Every structure is written in C-alpha cells, then in structure tokens.
Amino acid sequence: MTIRTNPYEVALEAYLRDLKIPYLAIDEQRRSLYGAGSLKNVDFVVSPPEGEGSFLVDVKGRKFPSGRQNRYWKNWATTDDLDSLAHWQRLMGPRFSGLLVFAYQVAGEVSPLPTSLLYPFRGEIYGFVGIRLDLYTAWSKTISPKWKTVAVPTATFRQLAQPLAALLLGEPAALPNEPTPALQTA
C-alpha cells in the first residue's frame, strides 16, 4: 500500500478519483534497481479511458506564485527526474508516455488556470498543468549545474503545457495568456 505524505500528490490522487480516471499509485519509498544504478519511481500510472495509451506521471509540487518575488510558472525539475522518467518510458513501451504534472497550489490572488479548472482540496486550491516529457526535455535549459536542475523558459512552458484535464479527457486546451483570478477558500 502506498502511503502518501506529499500534499501535491494526495491532491492529484483525489482529483483523478473525482474525474474517475483509472490510475495506479506507485510506492516511491525505494528506487528501482536498474543495471548498475537505480531509477526514481514514477508517482502514478494514469490510463485515461478514452486514450490510446497511458501516462507515466511525475508530480512536481509548486506554489503559485512562489518565493519572495512572487514568481509565476516555476517549472524546474532535476535531470534525475527526466532521466528516470525517460528510462521508464522506454521500459514500458510505446503505449506509455512520460508526463510531468506541475501541481500548483494557489498561494495568492491569481491562479495558473481558469476557475473552472481549479481543484479545491483540504482547504487549498490546486491547478494541475501537464507537459509531455519529450517537449519538456527538448526545451529545458540548465538552471543550476550544482543541483542538476533544469526548467523550460516561462513563455515556452505556457505554450507547450496544458491543463491536466485537457490531456486526460482529450480536450485540447491552452493555458491562459495571463494568470487568472483565483478561487477563495472558505
């Protein structure tokens, strides 16, 4: 049984259940051994009922906005995240696609998605944004060699990423041009 303590992953799991999207939650307590090394496990395997394949999902929890300077669209990941997800994609075969899901917890007056696509959960509000691994990898730039982190430039990220609901339900949609007003929690 998977015990989830990461609030972003718990929120995404509740969201998938509410949408009635089949998924498997993966035990992340130990890395999987692979060759001479190991692989970071994916967080979920998600299989949209109307889709032609499944997604291998790595969840990246971020605040929106984040930091002292209210930075929007933070989308950094580690090279280990990307390498491991790419290995899993190759191991699982062509019916599986790597997907980074940025679970943005709305922390201010604006949100990453229109109100209709936000998800209130346990007194917080989340906006789930997905980007395919191949697109993220192709456009990512190193932000810290020391920490082995990369990110996609904000304008490019906003063009390539989609609301998660659009990816899962097969309804293509773009992210809004600007952050939108956020829901207020009770």
Side-chain angles (χ1 to χ4, degrees):
M1 182 169 138
T2 301
I3 299 171
R4 296 233 174 255
T5 56
N6 180 318
Y8 299 98
E9 292 174 12
V10 172
L12 179 60
E13 187 167 9
Y15 181 70
L16 293 171
R17 289 184 62 78
D18 282 354
L19 289 179
K20 296 180 175 42
I21 303 287
Y23 69 91
L24 294 172
I26 306 300
D27 183 357
E28 303 170 73
Q29 292 181 357
R30 293 191 180 153
R31 292 172 65 99
S32 293
L33 299 179
Y34 179 72
S38 66
L39 296 176
K40 178 181 181 270
N41 288 333
V42 299
D43 297 312
F44 297 96
V45 177
V46 179
S47 297
E50 303 300 322
E52 296 179 13
S54 296
F55 293 111
L56 303 169
V57 174
D58 190 359
V59 178
K60 304 281 123 204
R62 305 286 181 263
K63 301 273 188 194
F64 192 95
S66 66
R68 290 174 289 207
Q69 298 175 344
N70 286 340
R71 301 197 50 179
Y72 297 96
W73 304 106
K74 294 290 258 183
N75 69 75
W76 62 270
T78 67
T79 55
D80 185 35
D81 294 334
L82 304 182
D83 293 343
S84 291
L85 194 53
H87 276 291
W88 280 114
Q89 186 174 274
R90 282 192 296 278
L91 288 168
M92 299 299 282
R95 290 191 41 83
F96 292 84
S97 300
L99 184 69
L100 294 165
V101 173
F102 288 87
Y104 290 110
Q105 180 185 356
V106 177
E109 302 280 322
V110 295
S111 70
L113 298 172
T115 302
S116 64
L117 296 176
L118 295 177
Y119 185 67
F121 181 72
R122 294 186 180 168
E124 303 293 344
I125 299 169
Y126 294 88
F128 300 110
V129 175
I131 183 169
R132 290 187 354 233
L133 175 63
D134 60 337
L135 293 173
Y136 188 93
T137 302
W139 291 94
S140 64
K141 309 275 186 233
T142 299
I143 56 174
S144 173
K146 177 181 177 181
W147 297 102
K148 299 180 181 177
T149 54
V150 297
V152 173
T154 299
T156 304
F157 179 79
R158 289 176 50 207
Q159 289 176 340
L160 300 174
Q162 294 182 50
L164 183 59
L167 288 165
L168 297 178
L169 301 174
E171 302 166 356
L175 296 178
N177 290 330
E178 298 294 328
T180 59
L183 286 173
Q184 300 301 315
T185 56

